[in-house]
Amino acid sequence: MRASSVASRVVPVMLIRAFTTDSTGGWGAAFPILAPDPPVITSEVTATTAAEMNAALEVAGRRIIVDGSWNDICAIKSSDHEIIIPAGRRIGFLGGGFFPHTTAVRRIRVRGSLDGLTRGGIVGNFGSSVLDGGDTPECTDVIFDGVDFDGDGGVFGKHWAFDTQCERMAIINCRALTGGYCFLGHARHLVIAGCSFRSSGADRDELS
């Protein structure tokens, strides 16, 4: 794993607001959708294995550039991470938190390139729960931008893309092909834009 120090960089995130036709419409009272906060990055590493990536995810403020492919579990154990998955690279299950679900993680961004212009590699699936003993989301402020999901997270399931209780989550310019469902959970302040999701028997080879 190669590490280097980088200046902290905050990339603006689009602000999105959604309103009903009136304050007591069929969808309930109007309210703003809150955009996720971007991560604050202070260092950068390159991970060539799942073990290296898991080690990097324990240190807050890291940009992790994936330079390998695997189908093992990677668990986010601290806040402020940016994970870059270039085209031709693949990771398995990505967990927004970890057992026993007592530590909250915030400001996570996963994307395919630093410039935001190039489609990236593949994520098996992403999951997060609630903090133990309550209904508070374990993971908040999450952004996926320009990566694909093939629904294969190894031991954590081979037929789904998202199973999450996140709060403030944006899924932008992503594709998902799964044998089962694409999205399950009770995410709040969720934005899905510019995506293509196909479920129930879609062919993963279309993402290769």
Side-chain angles (χ1 to χ4, degrees):
M1 181 166 62
R2 303 185 298 275
S4 60
S5 178
V6 298
S8 175
R9 183 182 66 170
V10 177
V11 178
V13 177
M14 60 181 177
L15 297 178
I16 304 169
R17 290 177 176 269
F19 297 94
T20 55
T21 53
D22 59 61
S23 61
T24 58
W27 293 99
F31 68 94
I33 294 178
L34 302 178
D37 290 329
V40 178
I41 302 302
T42 57
S43 64
E44 181 178 296
V45 300
T46 297
T48 60
T49 66
E52 290 182 350
M53 183 163 169
N54 274 311
L57 289 170
E58 294 183 358
V59 182
R62 282 199 156 170
R63 174 180 298 129
I64 304 167
I65 300 175
V66 174
D67 192 18
S69 296
W70 56 79
N71 202 28
D72 300 304
I73 297 169
C74 290
I76 301 169
K77 297 185 176 181
S78 58
S79 296
D80 292 301
H81 288 287
E82 180 172 67
I83 302 169
I84 309 296
I85 308 174
R89 302 303 185 189
R90 183 192 184 280
I91 67 173
F93 173 81
L94 181 64
F98 60 100
F99 184 81
H101 309 293
T102 56
T103 302
V105 295
R106 296 191 59 198
R107 296 177 299 277
I108 308 299
R109 177 166 51 203
V110 181
R111 56 178 172 163
S113 64
L114 280 174
D115 59 18
L117 300 176
T118 306
R119 176 164 295 282
I122 296 175
V123 181
N125 38 43
F126 172 79
S128 69
S129 185
V130 294
L131 293 176
D132 186 44
D135 60 0
T136 301
E138 180 179 25
C139 192
T140 61
D141 299 290
V142 178
I143 303 166
F144 284 94
D145 185 2
V147 293
D148 294 333
F149 292 80
D150 68 3
D152 185 356
V155 297
F156 273 5
K158 297 180 179 295
H159 302 294
W160 55 276
F162 296 91
D163 191 342
T164 177
Q165 317 295 320
C166 277
E167 184 161 320
R168 296 185 299 279
M169 182 178 191
I171 307 170
I172 306 166
N173 301 323
C174 292
R175 299 182 299 180
L177 293 174
T178 66
Y181 58 85
C182 283
F183 196 101
L184 184 69
H186 302 282
R188 294 176 287 186
H189 297 284
L190 169 68
V191 173
I192 301 175
C195 296
S196 175
F197 287 1
R198 295 178 60 193
S199 60
S200 301
D203 188 353
R204 285 195 192 100
D205 292 339
E206 295 180 42
L207 287 181
S208 61

